[in-house]
Amino acid sequence: MKRLWDKGEPLDQRVLRYTAGEDHTLDNRLIHYDVLASIAHAKMLCEESLLSKKDFEAICDGLEKLEIAYKNNEWKISLEDEDVHTALEKKLTEAIGDAGKRIHLGRSRNDQVLAALRLYLIDASIALEKSAIQLAKSLDKLANRNLDLPLPGYTHMQQAMPSSVELWAKAYANEIKDDALGLAQTRRRISKNPLGSAAGFGTPGLNTDREKTRISLGFETVQEPVTSVQLSRGKAEAGLVFELCLLLQDLGKLATDLLLYYTKEFAFITLPENMTTGSSIMPQKRNPDVLELVRGATGTINAALSEILGITSKLSSGYHRDLQRIKAPLFRAIDLADDSVEIMQHLIKDVNFRKENIKLDESIFATEKANQLVINEGISFRDAYLRIAKKLKKK
Amino acid sequence: MKRLWDKGEPLDQRVLRYTAGEDHTLDNRLIHYDVLASIAHAKMLCEESLLSKKDFEAICDGLEKLEIAYKNNEWKISLEDEDVHTALEKKLTEAIGDAGKRIHLGRSRNDQVLAALRLYLIDASIALEKSAIQLAKSLDKLANRNLDLPLPGYTHMQQAMPSSVELWAKAYANEIKDDALGLAQTRRRISKNPLGSAAGFGTPGLNTDREKTRISLGFETVQEPVTSVQLSRGKAEAGLVFELCLLLQDLGKLATDLLLYYTKEFAFITLPENMTTGSSIMPQKRNPDVLELVRGATGTINAALSEILGITSKLSSGYHRDLQRIKAPLFRAIDLADDSVEIMQHLIKDVNFRKENIKLDESIFATEKANQLVINEGISFRDAYLRIAKKLKKK
Amino acid sequence: MKRLWDKGEPLDQRVLRYTAGEDHTLDNRLIHYDVLASIAHAKMLCEESLLSKKDFEAICDGLEKLEIAYKNNEWKISLEDEDVHTALEKKLTEAIGDAGKRIHLGRSRNDQVLAALRLYLIDASIALEKSAIQLAKSLDKLANRNLDLPLPGYTHMQQAMPSSVELWAKAYANEIKDDALGLAQTRRRISKNPLGSAAGFGTPGLNTDREKTRISLGFETVQEPVTSVQLSRGKAEAGLVFELCLLLQDLGKLATDLLLYYTKEFAFITLPENMTTGSSIMPQKRNPDVLELVRGATGTINAALSEILGITSKLSSGYHRDLQRIKAPLFRAIDLADDSVEIMQHLIKDVNFRKENIKLDESIFATEKANQLVINEGISFRDAYLRIAKKLKKK
Amino acid sequence: MKRLWDKGEPLDQRVLRYTAGEDHTLDNRLIHYDVLASIAHAKMLCEESLLSKKDFEAICDGLEKLEIAYKNNEWKISLEDEDVHTALEKKLTEAIGDAGKRIHLGRSRNDQVLAALRLYLIDASIALEKSAIQLAKSLDKLANRNLDLPLPGYTHMQQAMPSSVELWAKAYANEIKDDALGLAQTRRRISKNPLGSAAGFGTPGLNTDREKTRISLGFETVQEPVTSVQLSRGKAEAGLVFELCLLLQDLGKLATDLLLYYTKEFAFITLPENMTTGSSIMPQKRNPDVLELVRGATGTINAALSEILGITSKLSSGYHRDLQRIKAPLFRAIDLADDSVEIMQHLIKDVNFRKENIKLDESIFATEKANQLVINEGISFRDAYLRIAKKLKKK
């Protein structure tokens, strides 16, 4: 993995490594989706009489076997394969002969990669949405476990108004449900069929049918015109990552609150022991590492969004190889969100509020008192405010 | 405006300037919306018997007069006012006396600022959506003006497949319409009534009715629980700016294409003279500054999004003064998008394609020829591809 | 300022506003430096016999008078002037006639704007460096005022090891001094003479002498070759803003610590009253707004850096109008850093540690005890660690 | 690697995976440096009579053998090891017994990780500096190979003034040398000895000597006070990555120029065949993928800088686990820069300018003509400019 000093590699190998990048590793998660999209494409070719029934069946069978073999760890995408698409076409042709060479008619890697990627993103967004809702439910349960427990309501990190564990936890539950809704909305941009746009300008001289592959794959719409497909690269991706930024920001704030409540000085909560770790030098420490890593995750995911926007910005229309660089931050963001939501869901289950340590400062009721002055004496709120303020100052 | 060396200012003035920041300038656009929201709030107070009918009428009348006076340039928010909310309450009380002191019952600047801001963002998102659609229509017209004009389709900036001005322009039109749809979707997060959440924890001891202000102001939902309101700060704002990033990215790519086509070496287009500027030293130059500034705008708007996400990240729940810093990048992004879309719409109207200069390289038809080989001879696409490639290499 | 709905402006005015942008406002701080650079340029022209002595004197005199008039508020750069350079040449020619038309020989706005900007940045970096050192000294004084006061040393926000106010304050003092060193280092990139590169390709047919203007203006080097000047746009600017990011990050962390210590639950410090502000609804509140705004400033300044890097990224060589967009984030970052450092310096003077409230948990001495076991009994540190850990668990 | 759906893992394993993150993979490059730093630490302990000579020798021997074994692929850091530091201490103790348990006296992972990391960063910055200089030399050679070849000088992407391949290439050479200087400057912040600060607050009850480890390891200074060490986390790292941003930005611009020159419409250059790749569908294509990936690399590296700044921002003083997240973007940035500089160096060697295709527009000499008018006729530059402009307009 280290390259800084061992410069012995032959040049062609270096060019391959530089251009293929991490694709051979990243693309493993796309194998299933590339198989799906390739079968849908082959089916359409067959229906349009561009592929014989026999070849179509050989292709289906071959691709499905390759996927099973992959799941059984019988092969992996190698650097020499460059990416999932090349790997599958090569292995398919090795397995079924001439029919394998017919699969790429009427498509290009440019629309092929997008078809697989978008199918993956639809599944990923659904999975993340579900995880988020599950976390929100854990927070609702936390609220319900602590129904009558008061908590200071803070503004400016100062005790401000009376609040409760219920109000605190339900705010997070509600915002995380809102993030889940946001994730669902991003599928509007993802669910567009790119197949048939080929390199970005359609398939001259071929009667391909984009509606057929749309139906096979369950995309909501066909992306039209064909030139729109490459022009839109990165937009759906950025849209998903943006929503994950909001989700992880909510998690980061939740972590910040819990880290504060877990300090010795607040001591509002205990954390489950399996969510804390020890120190290499300080025998007494139980550190809330999970929460700190969740807080730190916002830095990483915000940057993943910047990265995607930075890669696509200012490019001219049409495909550019720069776009390959989107995959790394996209998958990084998805995995980080997936892991963080899941770990927080486990953690939240066992957060325990220490009733005995939660103390509301008396001054926290000042606004309520001012409100009562208004109700009882009919004076204006501003006058009531000033009267209470004067009283407090005297103390 | 410069402060680097004139340190003579008294300390209290500096603290005021540091804490109020640019609010007194930025908030002018919020006056209309703060008046609307304040009237809705007063109406609710009146209906809940927390304000007399007479006082309510005085407040309405006073606020409306203040707005008219503002439109007539009779006053502005000053640094001493700090912000629009303080300015209006102060001026209202000066104008109508004791009734003015009653307007702030059951609200805090924390929910008040959000009410005004969200009403503004709804209008802004609608206006931007309309502008975007208008620009898309200009692109559709450009396509229709050049219906039969071929254009090379580029991948990797190389001539790749035959395309057309129509396909080129309609891709942009389509993507910008998609951006407009995205802008409409952001209103889901914006259109939530914050009023009644006060400082973030509701209005203890007062029967306020959040549904009433929701109806008055046309918000889609009441944001519940009250603690959700401050926790969500920056999310709707970031959502809008994210969509503007995609919109400006599409404009930036359009600018990049046009800048390329406007080079002497491509010479595919002429630009309207009023959209180009001269040089201070080179008498011959007509520079496409507008397009360059549109391209550069992506750098600015992407950073505005990062800024908002950076400000809200890692904060604990509840209001923090940090959140005030959101306003500057938010308004900067909105104004930049508004101006850029508008100027591009004017420019697109007069972009003229120079048919005589647009030349498609012969090799651009290679894929079509390979496709024909498949159709005519029944060979596989991969074999057809190799045969054409060999032929081209010989030349 | 608002443009969203009043679209009545004539087109040429809009184009002017879009292309000139905020320059007419931003450039006021450059007047002094443009005068300096213009005089140095005229002096060189005169020495190279490209300008008569009389014209040179008229130019000097004219420019100096214009600067004085500006300082006396007799004129400002208007939108119609576009920028400082056009404004000065125009006003100079109005004032002194034909000689004014001779000042632009052998230069372009491209090198002219950079000369003024870099002279300004040198002064700004020196001023900021001094302010930072002053703030560091305030922190050293704070340390010295609290020499024997213990403070818990925190890791993971948990009490970890015994520390002291002195160690705490001196860490910040030291890091801020390091930031000041960083600011000084940025002058290596700033202090390069751009004059003589004109539009970016030198001054064909003219004997201009770049070394002469370098000496007049005090730049460290002449930037060679001429094509390097525009290629490097944004690098020195980004370098300065990067150092300001580190400086404001240190300030933001200082603010975070103080905000924590100022909570009721920690209650380690009091803040000077003039650095806190009241609430519009809660009569009891004294809010640490200054500290929150300093913390929030990191979001703004990190984004200013991204903005500059985003604007210059991927441009081809040679001047582009996109580069004009650098000025806004650059000045925003400088002003924000300048104000934040200054306000913190005032605040730090009056931070008061509340000795009575600072309590070190007994377990904080566990590492010291383990160390003593090693010294006294000769056992290994890992065994000592385990023994202490077991003892603590029993309690 | 995919985790989205296989949620079968036991919880403790997940927590371990979440907290250890990628460290076990990332840390392999640190093994050499952790061995160096551990030996220096043990030597100091021995000299301070905190470790017997015999134990010290066993530790040295043990660590060196472990490093050799690692180089021979006999072991790797596993997830269960968590990180390089735990792995080494564990394996050392397995190998040499009780002496291994004595190595951690007077240090913590907090200072240990920084020592190894900083030693690595010093080497990495030197290696990158050298690579950059080598690339600059390749550009100088390119200039020298094309000494008399004119090239249009562009501003606003328009032909502006006469330039040359030499001036073009030397601008890049010069800026990349400037980046190398910047890399050297970053070592000021890197080269500070963190050892002896332990968890961030020193080593109570032990006579450790920080100057001794500084000398052993070649750090320029001891970082004082001890509390400064953790407070400064991320600053040196961000400093290095910032300089890499400027370096990759220069490479990205170089790539942008070459991509433009490589278009059929410019056709100024040919590229070496091994630096271009084919298309999956278009048999005729030779795509400049390497250049596109270099251009796209700016998006990735700018985001890595944002990520680091985002992770450290707003943290309170003292160590936080969030800081672990710095390693991934830091190593990502270093590897990306390292690979990109190297590949560009190979590419530049074989860039060939196509003299026959490079045409300067006649109007490019307009400024020179205006300059000549000034010299020959003594009129002002502004009048000469207007006269030439009028003449050009007539044509």
Side-chain angles (χ1 to χ4, degrees), chain D residues 23 25 138 194 203 237 274 285 344 350 359 362 391:
Chain D
D23 269 8
T25 312
S138 293
T203 54
E237 294 90 329
N274 60 7
K285 295 291 296 290
M344 280 301 269
D350 292 317
K359 303 229 163 66
E362 210 220 294
K391 225 189 253 179

Side-chain angles (χ1 to χ4, degrees), chain B residues 159-177:
Chain B
Q159 294 205 6
M161 304 266 284
S163 183
S164 66
V165 172
E166 187 191 0
L167 274 174
W168 174 84
K170 287 204 167 160
Y172 281 107
N174 182 58
E175 283 311 307
I176 290 166
K177 284 174 200 162

Side-chain angles (χ1 to χ4, degrees), chain B residues 199-215:
Chain B
F201 307 94
T203 54
L206 290 180
N207 284 324
T208 51
D209 186 332
R210 304 185 67 197
E211 179 63 13
K212 284 201 172 117
T213 49
R214 183 194 77 71
I215 292 168

